[in-house]
Amino acid sequence: MSRDEELKIRWQELVTKLSNKFADGEQLDLDAIIYLIGVQELQQPHREYKKDHKLDLMHIAICRVLEPYGYYKFSYIDDEGWPHYQVTEQLPFLKAGEQSILMKEAIVNYFLENQYIN
């Protein structure tokens, strides 16, 4: 099985599992999954978040899933419990489809690492 086919299968497995758990089976999109990762990383799931905080949560998630690729490095957790990352390498210029593939791969790897999928 090619790497692309394996990613596609794992991505669909992940989307289905998360959608069933958090969206009553309605399919979650990439942004919704990124948001869920941010909430997981913040470890404050029962808070209500304003729009600005939702964007911050998505930023946390992006930093976290791209950390193993060398683009970000965890820096510290502030007094309110929010993790902060520093840029270690600029992301390369990618077309929209390439960005989507990179994020899906990074997200799948995140959930594999956390043993949510296999």
Side-chain angles (χ1 to χ4, degrees):
M1 180 181 324
S2 78
R3 186 171 153 234
D4 290 344
E5 290 171 340
E6 188 174 328
L7 175 60
K8 188 179 271 188
I9 289 167
R10 283 183 168 158
W11 177 254
Q12 193 52 56
E13 174 190 349
L14 177 62
V15 168
T16 299
K17 194 169 183 177
L18 290 173
S19 296
N20 288 337
K21 185 169 184 171
F22 295 104
D24 296 326
E26 185 177 325
Q27 188 160 328
L28 295 173
D29 64 9
L30 181 61
D31 288 341
I33 293 171
I34 291 170
Y35 173 78
L36 288 174
I37 293 169
V39 171
Q40 172 67 27
E41 288 299 310
L42 183 60
Q43 297 181 5
Q44 297 177 16
H46 301 293
R47 263 179 73 176
E48 287 198 28
Y49 298 101
K50 295 180 180 175
K51 186 175 182 177
D52 289 350
H53 284 137
K54 289 179 181 180
L55 293 174
D56 292 340
L57 286 167
M58 293 177 78
H59 178 72
I60 289 169
I62 290 167
C63 292
R64 173 59 185 87
V65 300
L66 293 178
E67 184 180 23
Y69 292 76
Y71 296 113
Y72 296 94
K73 181 179 178 186
F74 174 77
S75 187
Y76 67 96
I77 294 179
D78 68 21
D79 294 338
E80 295 179 9
W82 288 78
H84 292 264
Y85 291 81
Q86 62 187 38
V87 176
T88 54
E89 184 179 325
Q90 291 297 319
L91 286 165
F93 177 77
L94 299 171
K95 296 176 186 170
E98 295 169 329
Q99 287 177 5
S100 178
I101 290 169
L102 173 62
M103 288 307 300
K104 287 178 180 180
E105 179 181 55
I107 289 168
V108 164
N109 288 335
Y110 172 85
F111 281 100
L112 285 168
E113 176 186 307
N114 288 291
Q115 300 178 339
Y116 189 74
I117 60 170
N118 48 10

